[in-house]
Amino acid sequence: MNNPPPPPPNPSAAIPPPAPTPPSKPARPFWKKKRFAIPGAVVGLAVIGGALGGVEDPEPVDTSAAPVVEETATTVPAESDAEIDTGAEAAEPAETTTTTTEPPATTEDPLAGFSEQEKNAIETADRYLSSGLSQFSEPGLVRQLEFEGYTAEDAALAIGFLQPDWDAQAAASADSYYTSPILTFSEAGLVNQLEFEGFTDEQVAFGMASLADPDWNDQAARTAESYLDSDFSAFSEESLVTQLEFKEFTDEQVAFAMASLGDVDWLEQAVKSAERYLDSSSFSCSGLVDQLEFGGFTAEQATHGATVVGLCE
């Protein structure tokens, strides 16, 4: 009886088996793994290890579902430092917002730093300029402040601080003279008045140009009427014409004014003139008649005046 042949040698019995390796679980998709945060450094090592081991990723990772995306953002490249700094700079407007809570500069006293004398000079000058009751040129305001007892230096400081609009002052002055219910001016007379007030040629020209359609004929007529209505003076027709010309009305304006008077009682004016003369001096009959004729009255008017006052029969 033939014996069965011996079994072939077991190769695994001759060669010792390799060291046992722990059984590896089949890889699960990433989205089925437990959700916990993995440090970025560990993730990096895992990726490097996989590359060295030749292990390929079985399937793409859905990064939209991976919670480690936020952790990988902790590894900031050098370029992102500038972005972080830029973000810090973007927070600076918050500082400017806090500065708006400080009191505005306009609440400070504009006269801070001036002496009491200088403050008073500034306030006095401002009161004159803003009163609306009077107008001043620069020299005129200096004179007024000096009259109030301020020094020339105080006046100069006040004017320099206030920076008045002298053109506006000239315009207001021209208007106040032109519209005065008492005073009357020819065009040339008003120019002379503004120059007398201390306004410059340019300021005078501005003031005159600012008048709205001035009627110099009307000014001449008002002037003539005011002379005849005065209780302190009397005029013959000739002397009134002379007076209007002295006020620098033109020939046409004088003729308009005289015609506007209508029927003037020149005999009455001769009597008033005779009374004024006797109030200041003594006259004979002929002497008073001669004086009245010198004043432009006719012989008839002069004799009438001297007779009415009792010097002539």
Side-chain angles (χ1 to χ4, degrees):
M1 181 177 181
N2 293 332
N3 293 326
N10 188 356
S12 60
I15 301 172
T21 58
S24 60
K25 296 181 179 180
R28 288 187 299 175
F30 185 78
W31 59 85
K32 293 184 178 180
K33 293 181 181 181
K34 293 182 179 180
R35 297 180 180 269
F36 55 90
I38 302 175
V42 176
V43 174
L45 290 175
V47 172
I48 295 172
L52 294 176
V55 178
E56 295 182 358
D57 196 355
E59 54 187 1
V61 178
D62 186 1
T63 57
S64 63
V68 297
V69 173
E70 295 182 359
E71 295 297 327
T72 58
T74 58
T75 306
V76 181
E79 291 79 356
S80 62
D81 291 341
E83 295 178 1
I84 294 174
D85 292 341
T86 303
E89 292 177 359
E92 290 182 358
E95 297 180 359
T96 60
T97 303
T98 57
T99 58
T100 58
T101 60
E102 298 179 358
T106 54
T107 59
E108 296 180 359
D109 182 5
L111 299 181
F114 291 106
S115 67
E116 288 301 316
Q117 175 84 354
E118 292 168 342
K119 289 180 181 180
N120 290 337
I122 293 172
E123 291 172 355
T124 302
D126 183 62
R127 185 172 64 252
Y128 279 127
L129 292 171
S130 60
S131 68
L133 301 177
S134 58
Q135 298 77 37
F136 292 90
S137 64
E138 184 173 3
L141 184 56
V142 170
R143 287 193 299 267
Q144 185 64 32
L145 291 174
E146 289 178 341
F147 177 79
E148 295 280 349
Y150 296 103
T151 66
E153 291 76 14
D154 293 334
L157 182 142
I159 290 172
F161 179 83
L162 295 172
Q163 293 293 307
D165 186 344
W166 301 118
D167 282 345
Q169 288 290 308
S173 183
D175 182 70
S176 67
Y177 280 128
Y178 179 80
T179 58
S180 170
I182 301 173
L183 302 175
T184 54
F185 291 90
S186 64
E187 183 176 10
L190 184 51
V191 168
N192 292 337
Q193 182 64 30
L194 294 176
E195 291 175 344
F196 177 78
E197 295 285 344
F199 291 105
T200 65
D201 292 343
E202 293 77 10
Q203 292 161 2
V204 169
F206 184 91
M208 295 299 294
S210 69
L211 295 175
D213 298 327
D215 187 345
W216 302 114
N217 282 335
D218 178 69
Q219 287 286 307
R222 288 178 55 205
T223 302
E225 186 177 0
S226 68
Y227 281 137
L228 293 179
D229 291 342
S230 172
D231 293 332
F232 306 100
S233 61
F235 291 87
S236 64
E237 184 175 7
E238 179 183 330
S239 64
L240 183 55
V241 169
T242 301
Q243 185 64 26
L244 292 174
E245 291 173 344
F246 178 78
K247 296 282 286 185
E248 299 188 73
F249 289 103
T250 65
D251 292 343
E252 292 77 11
Q253 292 161 2
V254 170
F256 180 89
M258 296 303 292
S260 69
L261 294 175
D263 295 330
V264 179
D265 189 347
W266 298 113
L267 291 176
E268 181 183 359
Q269 288 291 313
V271 173
K272 287 176 60 178
S273 184
E275 292 173 345
R276 300 295 176 272
Y277 283 130
L278 292 178
D279 287 342
S280 59
S281 186
S282 298
F283 291 89
S284 63
C285 171
S286 60
L288 183 55
V289 170
D290 291 341
Q291 186 63 41
L292 291 173
E293 288 178 349
F294 180 80
F297 290 103
T298 64
E300 178 186 0
Q301 293 164 353
T303 302
H304 176 80
T307 300
V308 171
V309 296
L311 287 183
C312 299
E313 296 180 357

